[in-house]
Amino acid sequence: MCAHCTVRQLSVCAALPDEDIGRLEAIMRTRSIEPGERLVEEGAPRRHVFTLTSGMLRLSSDLPDGRRQIGDFLLPGDYLGLADETIYAQTAEAVTASTLCSFAVKDMEALMASSPPLRDRLYSLTRRALQEARESQMMLGRLAPVEKVASFLLLLSRRLQRHGQPGNPLSLSMSRTDIADHLGLTIETVSRSFTKLKMQGLIVLPEPHLVEIRDRAALIAVAGLSIEA
Amino acid sequence: MCAHCTVRQLSVCAALPDEDIGRLEAIMRTRSIEPGERLVEEGAPRRHVFTLTSGMLRLSSDLPDGRRQIGDFLLPGDYLGLADETIYAQTAEAVTASTLCSFAVKDMEALMASSPPLRDRLYSLTRRALQEARESQMMLGRLAPVEKVASFLLLLSRRLQRHGQPGNPLSLSMSRTDIADHLGLTIETVSRSFTKLKMQGLIVLPEPHLVEIRDRAALIAVAGLSIEA
DNA sequence: CGTTATATTGAATGGATTCAAGGCCAGTGG
DNA sequence: CCACTGGCCTTGAATCCATTCAATATAACG
């Protein structure tokens, strides 16, 4: 039931008033996928778009020789299919067990055509995604490894918080390999960067997948990027 | 006169039928800027959006310590202001002498509200920009220097062609510094990469700012990225 | 508890960067 | 017309640091 959806306010669906939400439900299917499972594949025809309701996805592109770039991680409330036209530009896989709302592209387009707020919302989300991609370009192109990792932690912390999850002891659901493929590093360098930040007392790693930010100001200073609260 | 505009078919303006083009002209101002001149500044309130009609712009972000990332180069017909909301997310400067059509954001939004094709066109351009940014993430994060330069040449060649400029002996209007700041390299590494490609006979550099692609297939192979014609 | 996957740490290698010098071209002034 | 200057690009040599290769440690999971 969309009316009680926990991520409604974060997702595209917030654009629809209560009285119209039934129209969304009418064209919606729910789906759940297991960790590592592939939801859509780069190059395949774009037949469905999705809203993530729980879990985490990764959007990635592959090179023929196996190198991989993870463009973004999706959190609950995020929309999958913003950048794609007739085919999916990136592969989407589950980082953790995830649930989604699935929509046939045809249906969604029809709904968009009849609901300006929905359309505007999608446009706005696309702009936001573009801004974040530009930020990512800076990270990838001009930051040193420790700076990348510090920035990554801060940005993820902020996003988690906005998506209603704890932002400070933050859970890193993805593997070191995923982080490396997102930041353009090797897993060893990622690991060493974590260690450096640990040694400086900026973070604590009680477990490999749990990070506590101890000195946010100093972490921001290391990150280089301008990252506010 | 928009009716005779050379880039109309490439730009947002193509969305407007002849009978409505007058409405665009009514809110438009033309402007020209010199090489190196700054058009909009990162962080400044977004009051105008633009269509580039001739020349070339670079969109960049700066780090406090002076490091710079060029997110994109704009060619004639490209729109400036796609990603920005209330403030400009990137600085825009002229690479070469350029001319633009300038629109007050207020006016453009009003026009968008009354012209669905225009709105859709801007949405579509934003999606395209997002796709290109994702491609750029792969370049920055996972390609080796020579691969980056090869990809850059191929992608620029393709874009120039689409924008009605010669795609094969292609003119590199931007400096080596700009290329370096776009690819996340130093100017020396960019220069050495050109030399490598030259030595392998894939390109010829009659002048530093003119590149002839001699063996496109081999260049594509070096690039790694999947780039078609 | 044992097994496998994942993460960390160590040592070496290699390649981009840094630092420095030289070349090239356009513009300027003698 | 030619020397001089400054900006930009290229090349060379040395350095540094991320990567690679390898081993160990820790976590995850049956």
Side-chain angles (χ1 to χ4, degrees):
Chain A
M1 279 287 289
C2 294
H4 311 119
C5 177
T6 52
V7 299
R8 171 143 171 235
Q9 289 318 310
L10 301 166
S11 69
V12 268
C13 319
L16 289 172
D18 287 337
E19 57 267 30
D20 285 348
I21 203 80
R23 301 171 62 196
L24 200 63
E25 279 186 63
I27 63 169
M28 182 194 98
R29 291 276 175 285
T30 60
R31 175 155 179 202
S32 59
I33 58 176
E34 295 308 305
E37 199 179 329
R38 183 164 297 189
L39 181 65
V40 308
E41 179 141 11
E42 190 178 354
R46 173 180 177 265
R47 298 228 174 76
H48 295 87
V49 292
F50 307 85
T51 290
L52 184 64
T53 50
S54 76
M56 182 184 276
L57 302 183
R58 57 170 176 256
L59 300 184
S60 64
S61 305
D62 285 278
L63 251 36
D65 62 8
R67 283 177 287 178
R68 186 176 67 148
Q69 176 67 38
I70 294 183
D72 201 6
F73 294 102
L74 262 43
L75 301 185
D78 284 339
Y79 189 85
L80 171 56
L82 286 179
D84 313 291
E85 303 276 341
T86 61
I87 59 170
Y88 295 112
Q90 292 181 299
T91 293
E93 293 161 334
V95 172
T96 63
S98 302
T99 57
L100 308 102
C101 298
S102 161
F103 309 92
V105 166
K106 240 180 36 176
D107 294 337
M108 181 55 91
E109 279 171 357
L111 194 54
M112 279 173 68
S114 73
S115 170
L118 182 64
R119 181 179 23 69
D120 292 347
R121 181 98 219 233
L122 275 167
Y123 182 24
S124 155
L125 289 177
T126 307
R127 286 155 70 116
R128 171 71 45 102
L130 179 53
Q131 279 181 50
E132 283 171 8
R134 293 263 149 94
E135 201 164 29
S136 165
Q137 284 182 294
M138 171 63 94
M139 282 179 59
L140 289 165
R142 284 299 178 219
L143 295 192
V146 224
E147 297 176 317
K148 288 183 180 181
V149 172
S151 301
F152 171 69
L153 290 177
L154 287 164
L155 290 173
L156 182 60
S157 165
R158 188 173 69 178
R159 279 185 74 196
L160 284 170
Q161 215 162 355
R162 286 184 183 167
H163 288 254
Q165 294 175 46
N168 193 342
L170 65 114
S171 90
L172 289 182
S173 316
M174 69 293 288
S175 68
R176 294 293 189 265
T177 303
D178 284 345
I179 298 176
D181 285 344
H182 180 53
L183 299 178
L185 302 169
T186 60
I187 55 170
E188 293 94 334
T189 301
V190 170
S191 186
R192 283 186 245 268
S193 299
F194 273 120
T195 304
K196 276 185 199 170
L197 294 174
K198 227 165 40 184
M199 304 268 234
Q200 295 179 259
L202 307 189
I203 63 171
V204 183
L205 278 172
E207 324 159 18
H209 289 276
L210 192 67
V211 181
E212 186 190 339
I213 298 176
R214 270 290 168 79
D215 189 340
R216 183 173 289 261
L219 199 58
I220 291 174
V222 170
L225 277 186
S226 53
I227 297 166
E228 65 283 0
Chain B
M1 279 289 290
C2 295
H4 312 118
C5 177
T6 53
V7 300
R8 168 142 172 235
Q9 290 318 312
L10 301 165
S11 70
V12 267
C13 319
L16 288 172
D18 286 337
E19 57 267 30
D20 286 347
I21 204 78
R23 300 170 62 196
L24 200 62
E25 280 185 62
I27 63 169
M28 184 193 97
R29 291 276 174 286
T30 61
R31 173 151 181 203
S32 59
I33 58 176
E34 294 307 306
E37 199 178 331
R38 182 163 298 188
L39 181 64
V40 308
E41 177 142 10
E42 190 178 355
R46 174 180 178 264
R47 299 230 173 75
H48 296 87
V49 291
F50 307 85
T51 291
L52 184 64
T53 48
S54 76
M56 181 183 277
L57 302 184
R58 57 171 175 255
L59 300 183
S60 63
S61 304
D62 285 280
L63 251 36
D65 63 8
R67 282 176 289 177
R68 186 177 67 148
Q69 175 66 38
I70 294 182
D72 202 7
F73 295 101
L74 262 43
L75 301 185
D78 285 338
Y79 188 85
L80 171 56
L82 286 179
D84 313 291
E85 303 276 343
T86 60
I87 59 170
Y88 295 112
Q90 292 180 299
T91 293
E93 293 162 335
V95 172
T96 62
S98 303
T99 56
L100 308 102
C101 299
S102 160
F103 309 93
V105 166
K106 241 181 35 179
D107 293 338
M108 181 54 90
E109 279 172 356
L111 194 54
M112 280 173 67
S114 74
S115 169
L118 182 65
R119 182 177 24 67
D120 292 347
R121 182 98 221 241
L122 274 167
Y123 183 24
S124 156
L125 289 177
T126 307
R127 285 154 72 118
R128 171 71 45 100
L130 180 54
Q131 280 180 51
E132 283 172 8
R134 294 261 149 96
E135 202 164 28
S136 165
Q137 284 182 294
M138 170 64 94
M139 282 178 59
L140 289 165
R142 285 297 178 221
L143 296 191
V146 224
E147 296 176 316
K148 288 183 179 181
V149 171
S151 301
F152 172 69
L153 290 176
L154 288 164
L155 290 174
L156 183 60
S157 165
R158 188 174 68 178
R159 280 186 73 196
L160 284 170
Q161 215 161 353
R162 287 184 182 167
H163 288 256
Q165 293 176 46
N168 193 343
L170 64 114
S171 90
L172 289 181
S173 315
M174 70 292 287
S175 68
R176 296 293 190 264
T177 303
D178 284 345
I179 298 176
D181 284 345
H182 180 52
L183 299 178
L185 302 169
T186 60
I187 54 171
E188 293 94 334
T189 302
V190 170
S191 185
R192 283 186 244 267
S193 299
F194 274 118
T195 303
K196 278 186 197 168
L197 294 173
K198 226 165 39 182
M199 304 267 233
Q200 294 178 259
L202 307 188
I203 62 170
V204 183
L205 280 172
E207 324 160 18
H209 289 276
L210 193 67
V211 181
E212 187 190 337
I213 298 176
R214 271 290 167 80
D215 188 342
R216 184 174 288 262
L219 199 58
I220 290 175
V222 170
L225 277 185
S226 51
I227 296 166
E228 64 283 1

